[in-house]
Amino acid sequence: MPSRRTVLTAGVAALTSGVAGCSRSPSTPTAVSTDSDHPWPTAGHDPGGTGHAPAGPTTPDVEWTRNRASVSPPLSGFLSTPVIGNGQVYVAGLIGEYIEADDFTSRLLALDTDDGSTSWTYAFADGASGTPALMGETVIIGDGGGTLYALEDDTTRWSVDLGGTVGTPTRYGDRIYVPTSHGDLYAVSANGEIKWRITRRGLLTSLFGNPDPVTVGMPAVDSQGVYLVAETQDQTAVLVAYDHGGSKRWQYDLASPYGGHRPNGPAVADGTVYATAGGTVHAVDADSGTRAWRFVSGADVAGPPSTDGTRVYVAAKNLYALSVADGTEQWRVVNETIPHDREADTAPYVGRPPVADGRVYLRAGAFDAADGTRRWGDDADEWLEASDAYYLDPYNSRAMAQPVVSDDALYLSHTHHGVRKLA
Amino acid sequence: MTNLSRRQLLATLGAMGTVGTAGCSSILEDNASASTSDSGSCSPYDPAATTQSTWPTKHGGVDGTGAVASDAVPDGPLTQEWSVPIDTHVGHHTPIVGDDTVYVHDMDTTLFAFTVETGKERWRTSLEGPGPAPTLGDGRLVVATENGLEAYDTANGEHAWTIESSSVGIFDSPPVIADETVYIYGGVSVSAFALADGSLQWRVPIGLTSNAAPAVVDDTLYVAGDDTYLRSLSTDDGSERWRQKTAAHIDCNVAVSGETVYAGSDSGTVIACDRADGTTRWQYSLPSGDQQPQTIATDGARVYVTAGDTLYALDAATGLPCWRIDTHRGSYSSGIAVGDSTLFVPTDANDSTAETEAAGAVYDATNGNQLSKFASDVRYGFDGGPSVAGGAVYTHGPAALRRYSTEDTTAAE
């Protein structure tokens, strides 16, 4: 629970007003930058959210599929990105714009990576609201009621109230950084203690009433601090950098000509932050917050970026590979979806593309990272062919099928199929 | 195309009508002097020769320049020779002119062919949900509809073939015909079909859609669209010769004159690229930051760009502004025609920067001085056109197709 002092001092800090965040607790996290215990422990793989794994599968076949309707208990809601560790694949059925907690039973499932059998489940009365993050044996996940949970198997080790719908957490050493729908950013210790928070409530709320929720992406973290993308109330997006004590370092306006909704987690690698808004990719210097380059894809939606240090990979309807040096397009994988086509038999690419061993993974396939040629696999679009009059729009800003990889397998959370392992 | 989307298009068209006449004008400006000239920095006006005497695509010849030969341009004050009622509740595209015939569709159900001399109907045929303006070439008329790409014989309107493709919108990129081949940026790809039987020659996936009319010159096709790139493709196999990145969607048509390709991106930028390798020759940012280029035309001496209420004349060699007109009144389907050192465009009926009604106007291309007007007796002037061909000017809408020519020509007939 936040101390009274924390709340009071935090009240004057506003995310978008340029006022620095509260920073009275200089306790920096232990300098562990990656968690090598698990193949894919958080949505973005590592604290930087680079989606860059040390190794990935070469030519996998489908090993098992857990259909979301036939799995027991059923897996409903928007499927989270899977995370992999402890011999489990963890996936949650999330609430979203079109699915509220009352509409279904929102669950976290732990499936055995060997055969996909259910190891344990956890139900959220207020609906799971973000992709889980692993901290050793513990699963960190938040819900729509504002609670952040630490689960070990199906028991709650601790929980803490954060006040707004909880986003996807990022782990950095012994610290958890997690945003909420109010635009707040929390630093939480491994035992559930709130170290500090940045809030846009407080004084603003008392003056102007409760602000509308803003949408916040998953934080990216490096040794200098935390990087957060938030969609503001006027529907523009900003990238904000804080140090590990919660002081604001800089703010960058993610000016993007198209789209602009549903900001994604940025990625930070080698001193550059890559962020997407609408269909535009921004590369921003992590020290100064100044723009290195900007790539306007022309699409109105983009997913979170990944990077292997040579190229940045972004699914912005099509999959683009951009030079980290200047943002020039190196190659693209064309997605055949025709925008706004109600009879579409394809869906746009918007997921984070994992990269490992010179391969970029997209849905159930892989592409050569250097030239974009398809190595194997497909788009996992087959559900669309069998459906009639499926309305795509609710999914357009979400990944239809989000892969993550371990050294020998690809795990896919597919909005309609369920969870699938290729190995 | 579903009924719903059809209705949405109608609603869009209604909105576009107001956009076309929305002004950002200053009430302090003198209404009588709409043209602003600072041509001291421009090269001498020396237009390129052209033999174009028909108007086969939305933007004139297949080079997309809107340029026609001197003898295709009416000389002197224009009077209406005939009008043919076109009853449509949807809208009017640019008239397509060639083979002594003018072709229009009503954006709804019917494709028409009229004799240029008298406006007498030659034939009509049914269409389902036609999208962009038709395209004329090699004895065929090709039109993109909700059923796909369709070809008709120009002689009698007989249906030749239909290629199923994704449904089209009224503002989608129109097809272009060259060397017995139809090229179209439809859906998220660029394709080439044999004009004879509609067989697919090649297809290049781009990944995003386009509203920008393409241009074709010799063995090269130039395309642009939401993808933000201007691309040069081989007409043989669609292979890419070069691409040039811009910072926004390209909705404006592509125009090619001499060794230069011109395009305008929605960030308010006009670019001129070397036809051979795509190198940028110049780039011009429209002075009003929120203006988006709508139509480009060029006679080789100047590049004419419409954006909002302004028509800019830029030096084709340097991109420097020569003169401009602040009383432009473009609509969703109007364009620019240029020939014999004169420019045909829609302008404000009263030459007022305050928004009133549109009419056709003829300008001196060398300095932007207004020479005469036409369609000034028609409410709201016209939607589609002007198309200039064979010594006459054609406009489409409201509610009629009209031909204008000089009094001398009328007297001679």
Side-chain angles (χ1 to χ4, degrees):
Chain A
M1 287 291 123
S3 70
R4 179 175 176 77
R5 180 168 169 270
T6 306
V7 171
L8 287 173
T9 51
V12 298
L15 177 66
T16 57
S17 68
V19 179
C22 52
S23 61
R24 52 247 89 255
S25 175
S27 62
T28 50
T30 56
V32 180
S33 60
T34 56
D35 184 347
S36 55
D37 299 346
H38 301 310
W40 198 283
T42 61
H45 177 268
D46 45 64
T50 66
H52 186 201
T58 49
T59 54
D61 298 314
V62 175
E63 194 165 294
W64 52 257
T65 302
R66 299 293 285 171
N67 185 288
R68 58 186 290 154
S70 65
V71 72
S72 179
L75 186 52
S76 305
F78 291 105
L79 295 198
S80 74
T81 299
V83 295
I84 313 296
N86 306 317
Q88 308 292 314
V89 48
Y90 302 93
V91 65
L94 309 180
I95 53 174
E97 298 106 308
Y98 300 89
I99 308 177
E100 295 174 4
D102 292 347
D103 300 337
F104 71 112
T105 303
S106 167
R107 290 188 175 87
L108 170 71
L109 266 63
L111 306 174
D112 192 304
T113 54
D114 286 340
D115 58 8
S117 61
T118 305
S119 301
W120 55 268
T121 73
Y122 191 96
F124 299 87
D126 292 322
S129 50
T131 292
L134 300 183
M135 209 165 189
E137 309 247 309
T138 308
V139 184
I140 311 293
I141 184 168
D143 76 1
T147 305
L148 183 69
Y149 298 87
L151 307 175
E152 269 175 28
D153 295 342
D154 55 355
T155 57
T156 307
R157 221 187 94 202
W158 52 258
S159 67
V160 58
D161 179 23
L162 304 184
T165 299
V166 181
T168 296
T170 299
R171 180 202 171 172
Y172 186 78
D174 60 357
R175 181 169 289 186
I176 299 151
Y177 289 109
V178 62
T180 72
S181 60
H182 292 301
D184 299 354
L185 172 67
Y186 286 83
V188 180
S189 74
N191 59 9
E193 179 196 350
I194 294 175
K195 307 299 282 186
W196 51 259
R197 72 173 186 179
I198 308 290
T199 182
R200 55 193 297 278
R201 290 174 293 165
L203 186 61
L204 280 179
T205 307
S206 61
L207 288 177
F208 305 111
N210 192 33
D212 293 333
V214 295
T215 319
V216 185
M218 174 189 184
V221 189
D222 69 2
S223 60
Q224 294 196 82
V226 191
Y227 307 89
L228 191 70
V229 174
E231 180 184 3
T232 54
Q233 282 169 283
D234 59 359
Q235 302 207 326
T236 57
V238 290
L239 170 65
V240 194
Y242 303 96
D243 66 22
H244 284 291
S247 291
K248 184 167 159 183
R249 296 173 53 222
W250 48 258
Q251 178 170 317
Y252 172 91
D253 178 16
L254 289 167
S256 305
Y258 308 108
H261 302 287
R262 290 189 59 83
N264 302 294
V268 58
D270 305 326
T272 304
V273 186
Y274 305 99
T276 60
T280 299
V281 187
H282 299 255
V284 180
D285 183 78
D287 288 331
S288 62
T290 56
R291 179 189 295 177
W293 49 259
R294 188 177 82 153
F295 177 83
V296 178
S297 74
D300 56 10
V301 61
S306 60
T307 181
D308 55 11
T310 304
R311 286 166 290 265
V312 181
Y313 308 94
V314 176
K317 200 278 189 181
N318 306 296
L319 175 65
Y320 298 86
L322 311 175
S323 160
V324 296
D326 58 11
T328 54
E329 182 178 337
Q330 306 299 296
W331 49 261
R332 79 172 63 173
V333 176
V334 170
N335 174 288
E336 292 281 355
T337 312
I338 294 169
H340 314 300
D341 182 359
R342 289 180 66 101
E343 289 153 25
D345 55 4
T346 54
Y349 301 146
V350 282
R352 177 189 284 103
V355 55
D357 279 344
R359 284 179 296 277
V360 181
Y361 299 88
L362 181 72
R363 301 210 179 150
F367 295 84
D368 188 299
D371 61 19
T373 54
R374 189 184 283 273
R375 291 276 190 84
W376 46 261
D378 60 32
D379 275 2
D381 264 339
E382 59 270 25
W383 67 274
L384 280 158
E385 291 160 18
S387 68
D388 42 56
Y390 216 99
Y391 195 43
L392 206 55
D393 270 9
Y395 301 98
N396 267 343
S397 57
R398 293 174 177 276
M400 186 60 62
Q402 175 63 59
V404 299
V405 298
S406 66
D407 58 359
D408 65 350
L410 180 150
Y411 299 88
L412 202 62
S413 66
H414 191 295
T415 297
H416 296 275
H417 288 316
V419 184
R420 178 172 282 184
K421 178 185 182 184
L422 296 88
Chain B
M1 197 179 294
T2 65
N3 286 332
L4 178 64
S5 61
R6 194 87 189 149
R7 280 201 298 276
Q8 286 168 337
L9 283 173
L10 286 170
T12 308
L13 277 176
M16 291 294 286
T18 47
V19 168
T21 53
C24 53
S25 51
S26 162
I27 55 168
L28 299 175
E29 281 190 53
D30 180 359
N31 286 348
S33 63
S35 163
T36 309
S37 181
D38 54 353
S39 56
S41 55
C42 285
S43 3
Y45 178 79
D46 182 21
T50 175
T51 58
Q52 187 74 41
S53 63
T54 60
W55 196 271
T57 80
K58 183 185 177 190
H59 297 283
V62 296
D63 60 7
T65 59
V68 289
S70 294
D71 58 11
V73 177
D75 187 17
L78 294 166
T79 55
Q80 182 176 306
E81 284 193 89
W82 52 254
S83 75
V84 177
I86 304 285
D87 197 16
T88 175
H89 54 282
V90 184
H92 305 87
H93 269 309
T94 306
I96 299 303
V97 191
D99 308 331
D100 297 321
T101 309
V102 51
Y103 306 92
V104 294
H105 67 58
D106 57 4
M107 292 192 184
D108 192 10
T109 60
T110 313
L111 175 64
F112 302 91
F114 302 98
T115 303
V116 294
E117 294 299 333
T118 61
K120 180 168 180 278
E121 183 175 314
R122 292 182 54 206
W123 51 259
R124 70 169 70 189
T125 188
S126 294
L127 292 179
E128 289 180 39
T135 298
L136 176 68
D138 300 324
R140 290 223 154 126
L141 203 63
V142 173
V143 55
T145 74
E146 67 180 51
N147 294 326
L149 197 61
E150 304 188 36
Y152 295 87
D153 281 329
T154 54
N156 50 23
E158 267 182 31
H159 174 259
W161 48 259
T162 296
I163 299 298
E164 279 189 37
S165 60
S166 60
S167 63
V168 293
I170 282 164
F171 306 112
D172 286 8
S173 178
V176 60
I177 299 171
D179 294 329
E180 303 282 335
T181 309
V182 187
Y183 304 95
I184 185 166
Y185 190 153
V188 296
S189 60
V190 182
S191 302
F193 299 94
L195 185 62
D197 59 5
S199 57
L200 179 68
Q201 306 301 295
W202 50 258
R203 176 179 187 272
V204 174
I206 304 289
L208 293 171
T209 56
S210 174
N211 295 335
V216 59
V217 174
D218 300 331
D219 60 351
T220 308
L221 174 69
Y222 302 91
V223 297
D226 287 0
D227 176 54
T228 77
Y229 289 92
L230 170 64
R231 293 168 190 263
S232 163
L233 308 178
S234 163
T235 54
D236 288 340
D237 56 8
S239 59
E240 187 174 291
R241 300 194 202 279
W242 53 259
R243 70 170 84 167
Q244 183 64 246
K245 183 97 174 74
T246 75
H249 293 177
I250 298 176
D251 288 323
C252 182
N253 62 299
V254 179
V256 183
S257 180
E259 292 308 306
T260 310
V261 191
Y262 303 95
S265 106
D266 287 356
S267 57
T269 305
V270 182
I271 56 169
C273 297
D274 185 289
R275 205 154 86 71
D277 61 14
T279 318
T280 305
R281 293 190 194 277
W282 52 257
Q283 180 173 315
Y284 177 74
S285 293
L286 301 181
S288 175
D290 56 351
Q291 285 187 339
Q292 299 181 346
Q294 289 153 351
T295 309
I296 286 186
T298 181
D299 52 19
R302 302 288 180 259
V303 176
Y304 309 97
V305 183
T306 62
D309 289 338
T310 310
L311 184 151
Y312 299 88
L314 309 176
D315 189 323
T318 63
L320 292 171
C322 302
W323 52 262
R324 71 173 215 236
I325 297 163
D326 290 322
T327 54
H328 180 66
R329 292 289 179 269
S331 81
Y332 58 91
S333 65
S334 67
I336 308 168
V338 59
D340 198 21
S341 306
T342 51
L343 208 60
F344 298 80
V345 287
T347 194
D348 189 276
N350 303 314
D351 294 320
S352 166
T353 52
E355 74 176 78
T356 53
E357 282 192 19
V362 186
Y363 292 95
D364 184 334
T366 65
N367 55 22
N369 291 340
Q370 191 176 105
L371 302 175
S372 63
K373 287 204 156 182
F374 62 97
S376 47
D377 57 336
V378 177
R379 267 216 97 188
Y380 300 110
F382 55 89
D383 296 330
S387 306
V388 174
V393 180
Y394 302 85
T395 67
H396 194 192
L401 172 67
R402 299 180 176 87
R403 171 177 154 123
Y404 299 86
S405 190
T406 59
E407 302 202 30
D408 284 352
T409 309
T410 310
E413 281 165 6

